[in-house]
Amino acid sequence: MSGELTLREKIGQMLLVGFRGYTVQESDPIVRDIVERHIGGIILFDQEMADTSIKGRNIQSPAQVAALTASLQAHAKNPLLIATDQEGGRVNRLKAAYGFPETISHEELGSRPSEETYAEAAKIARALKSVGLNFNLAPVVDLDLAPDNPIIKGKKRSFGADPFKVAQYASQFVAAHRAEEVLTCLKHFPGHGSARGDTHLGLVNVTDSWDKSELLPFKLLIADGWCDAIMTAHVFNAHLDPERPATLSRAVVQGLLSGQLGFDGVVLSDDLEMKAISSQYGLPQAIEFALEAGIDVLCFGNNMNFDPEIGRKASDIIYQLVDSGKIALSRIDDSCARVQRLKQKFKLR
């Protein structure tokens, strides 16, 4: 996007939004979001969570996804980040049932030589790129620290318990994606591996279980240049912030991630509609706290509680926060600049 951006355009670049449909029409809310509100990111899912009576979501076949992403991009003034969660194994939106390659979990890869992670990730990245998906919300760098963890261990999403090993395998995953010019996102900062709960379902307190070793994979990967973007966790840790969960915590995002670990790239929120956030905070407050914390891209998967107007609502809330002086314009400028740098890393299409 050349030239000086308007405030609305800058705000739009800070939103990653989900929608329903295998195709899009000019009249669809998501198209209006792209055209009128300059939404900078889209996230695709294969299954509907808000209403399980609806079969399917955005992914039906390789040809259909390729046509969908091309249509979305055709409406964008600035190339879109089009994301999905393609970790492999159970967290796998491009399934073999839809005509995509079979994948295996991080846990399974962790039991094999690290070079197999590169080969597996290259296969994933090629599948993503072939259908116009340019941003993989992976790899997971959470440590396998709790056998009763339902969302990390329970879904085999960790390479292992050793932070050095996790960093090594994650670097292979990222390197393979970079070779295919697909962006990646480490998750979930500052660590979800010791949790005993699922932030999709409610507040998860890791105060007594979290270990400082959970920061090490992030630290190593940032230092070695293997970090395109980082996604936060919605976990609450009173030792890091006695009031707010990590996604909404200035101490965690700006103090720990940006300050102590020196990360100056894009920070994404996990889905702000997950119950760990939405059951505790209203939408305006959650957005305000996320911006205060230092989140650059606010994710609304729109798959926990479907609202076709969520893009418009989020954009309007941010605009009002800036207009009222609660959020400084410089805060928006900084995030927009980081998003543009991320988009310029590869030639997005």
Side-chain angles (χ1 to χ4, degrees):
M1 186 180 285
S2 61
E4 182 62 28
L5 306 188
T6 67
L7 177 56
R8 283 288 186 182
E9 288 172 333
K10 293 173 183 176
I11 289 170
Q13 296 303 297
M14 297 175 65
L15 298 174
L16 181 73
V17 180
F19 69 101
R20 285 176 176 166
Y22 295 128
T23 61
V24 290
Q25 310 300 324
E26 297 287 339
S27 58
D28 289 346
I30 194 65
V31 173
R32 294 202 307 271
D33 283 340
I34 294 169
V35 174
E36 298 172 12
R37 283 170 278 278
H38 310 281
I39 298 298
I42 304 293
I43 181 168
L44 303 187
F45 294 93
D46 68 317
Q47 296 177 329
E48 188 69 39
M49 295 173 64
D51 184 350
T52 54
S53 69
I54 297 174
K55 302 303 178 186
R57 173 78 174 195
N58 307 123
I59 297 168
Q60 197 172 36
S61 71
Q64 170 269 321
V65 177
L68 175 61
T69 60
S71 181
L72 291 166
Q73 291 286 15
H75 288 95
K77 184 178 177 182
N78 186 7
L80 297 165
L81 292 170
I82 305 185
T84 198
D85 300 273
Q86 190 69 359
E87 299 168 13
R90 289 183 63 181
V91 181
N92 173 34
R93 313 304 187 205
L94 306 182
K95 293 180 172 61
Y98 310 133
F100 293 95
E102 290 278 4
T103 63
I104 57 179
S105 69
H106 282 18
E107 183 175 292
E108 175 65 23
L109 288 171
S111 69
R112 304 179 182 187
S114 63
E115 55 267 24
E116 292 194 30
T117 294
Y118 186 98
E120 179 70 13
K123 180 178 69 175
I124 288 172
R126 285 193 294 269
L128 291 165
K129 188 174 184 180
S130 72
V131 295
L133 288 158
N134 52 37
F135 193 19
N136 192 0
L137 303 182
V140 173
V141 297
D142 298 311
L143 303 184
D144 185 2
L145 297 181
D148 55 349
N149 183 319
I151 197 66
I152 303 300
K153 178 63 174 180
K155 294 192 174 184
K156 304 181 184 295
R157 299 171 73 193
S158 174
F159 290 118
D162 180 347
F164 293 96
K165 174 183 176 179
V166 168
Q168 178 190 4
Y169 280 63
S171 70
Q172 294 289 309
F173 193 97
V174 173
H177 279 68
R178 286 187 177 175
E180 300 297 331
E181 297 189 340
V182 176
L183 298 164
T184 55
C185 180
L186 310 184
K187 56 190 189 185
H188 307 80
F189 188 85
H192 208 308
S194 62
R196 264 78 180 184
D198 181 352
T199 50
H200 291 84
L201 305 178
L203 183 68
V204 174
N205 191 331
V206 298
T207 302
D208 296 328
S209 60
W210 185 81
D211 188 89
K212 287 184 178 180
S213 64
E214 296 183 60
L215 294 176
L216 195 51
F218 294 98
K219 181 179 181 179
L220 294 169
L221 290 160
I222 291 168
D224 289 342
W226 291 115
C227 186
D228 298 329
I230 287 178
M231 178 182 287
T232 58
H234 296 330
V235 295
F236 175 81
N237 185 339
H239 298 308
L240 299 179
D241 188 322
E243 297 181 359
R244 299 179 187 175
T247 297
L248 308 184
S249 170
R250 184 183 178 94
V252 171
V253 178
Q254 293 193 45
L256 185 55
L257 179 56
S258 300
Q260 293 186 37
L261 300 190
F263 182 61
D264 61 357
V266 167
V267 182
L268 283 77
S269 75
D270 205 343
D271 193 342
L272 288 171
E273 294 169 332
M274 290 162 61
K275 296 300 183 184
I277 300 297
S278 63
S279 68
Q280 306 293 317
Y281 306 91
L283 183 62
Q285 188 179 48
I287 289 175
E288 181 178 357
F289 287 174
L291 294 175
E292 288 177 348
I295 299 295
D296 298 306
V297 174
L298 284 65
C299 178
F300 295 95
N302 212 10
N303 205 3
M304 299 285 292
N305 180 27
F306 183 72
D307 180 355
E309 298 298 319
I310 190 63
R312 176 188 61 78
K313 290 177 181 178
S315 177
D316 286 350
I317 288 169
I318 299 173
Y319 188 92
Q320 290 159 11
L321 287 167
V322 177
D323 191 52
S324 68
K326 288 186 176 180
I327 297 295
L329 177 58
S330 61
R331 173 71 193 79
I332 306 301
D333 288 342
D334 289 345
S335 286
C336 183
R338 280 190 282 271
V339 172
Q340 296 312 303
R341 286 197 297 272
L342 180 66
K343 289 185 173 186
Q344 290 162 8
K345 194 160 192 173
F346 302 126
K347 186 178 180 182
L348 301 189
R349 63 186 178 114

